[in-house]
Amino acid sequence: MRVLLIGANGYIGRFVADRLLADPAVQLTALGRGDDADVRFDLATGSPGALTRFLDAVHPGVVVNCAGATRGGARELTRHNTVAVATICEALRRSGCGARLVQVGCSAEYGPSQPGSSTAEDALPRPGGPYGVSKLAATELVLGSGLDAVVLRVFSPAGPGTPAGSPLGRLAEAMRRAMQSGDGELRLGGLGAQRDFIDVRDVARAVHAASLSAAQGVINIGSGRAVRLRDAAATLARVAGYGGALHELDTPPGALRPTIGHPRTESVGHRVDSLGHPRTDALGHHRPDALGHRGERADAEHAAPVAAYPYPDGCGSWQQADVRTARDRLGWRPRIALEESLADIWMEAACRI
């Protein structure tokens, strides 16, 4: 099977490439903007006609699109997440290759959901920011294209390669700085949100399974269980061996509430949730980093208050995937526990000490 992978150098794309290359039945060609791509092509500026000629020459059986932008203003997000997908769809319609399209979407397309609920694929999307809007528009283009296509809505990816600007990446970096400087406490904000973390290697397995299947439409890829970010912080502290206190700042100004005096020892097991999601508000403006380490000691009443803000994907305080469709139509289940994902995130952060 000949597979054309778009976005092989991105966070998810790198692991998808590794997974596909491990399949001896797959002949992989990488298309992207970087010098290390097999073929250089910019979807945001390239024409459908040029891409059609390439498709007819290579004649792939499957096209996997992992490309896109997670940060930037509305114009940039639209260009890289929506216009790029429009180019792919039009090129596939014109081409005679008849390739199947696997589009990697994201849970930000759904927007906020009711706490305690599981979001199924038939939920009405209400994205809370330009990133989710741009990805939802791409999904609608794929679903309306008439192509043999499937969209994998990936919830919050974690694990090796997690972007440093993501909440989990910032947690690990804050902990690394604290341990390097010998600081015995961290002041952290934004830990109240709950997300469905899923290891990026499990995402790659899902993409591989979707490439081989006949499933169409939208399929959620997540763990099926939401985890509070403060619990992820406790697990990260434990795997890092950080013995200091973590003070949560999602409380009224002047009140420092120590949520984790000592890292909790219970395993989160498979309680797993582009990350890689953008650190922007609903208007695409850059958000302040609310995960920082404490510098000089100060009394709580004199400490500068850090306002709590929603998790930066526009999805409010809660997201949890209903993953029954992935199980039934792809034969896919998550395998990697959040603790292992966090350990891999910490390993990369620790290498910078």
Side-chain angles (χ1 to χ4, degrees), residues 37 144 202 214 233 251 271 278 286 291 293 304 306 317 345:
D202 280 334
T251 52
R271 296 173 61 187
H286 184 75
L291 301 175
H293 95 287
V306 178
S317 64
I345 292 172

Side-chain angles (χ1 to χ4, degrees), residues 299-349:
D299 293 336
E301 61 190 284
H302 296 121
V306 178
Y309 61 83
Y311 203 87
D313 53 7
C315 295
S317 64
W318 171 276
Q319 262 203 336
Q320 178 173 282
D322 182 332
V323 294
R324 289 175 294 180
T325 301
R327 178 195 63 200
D328 296 341
R329 299 177 65 189
L330 299 181
W332 174 92
R333 296 174 186 266
R335 294 179 180 173
I336 300 175
L338 178 57
E339 184 172 355
E340 182 177 342
S341 303
L342 292 171
D344 289 331
I345 292 172
W346 172 249
M347 185 67 67
E348 293 181 347

Side-chain angles (χ1 to χ4, degrees), residues 277-291:
H277 293 308
R279 256 171 58 195
T280 57
D281 61 17
L283 297 177
H285 298 147
H286 184 75
R287 290 187 183 277
D289 188 347
L291 301 175

Side-chain angles (χ1 to χ4, degrees), residues 246-273:
L246 306 186
H247 292 290
E248 187 174 349
L249 298 179
D250 291 353
T251 52
L256 279 180
R257 179 163 62 92
T259 56
I260 312 165
H262 297 284
R264 291 174 11 173
T265 57
E266 69 176 14
S267 171
V268 293
H270 274 284
R271 296 173 61 187
V272 293
D273 162 32

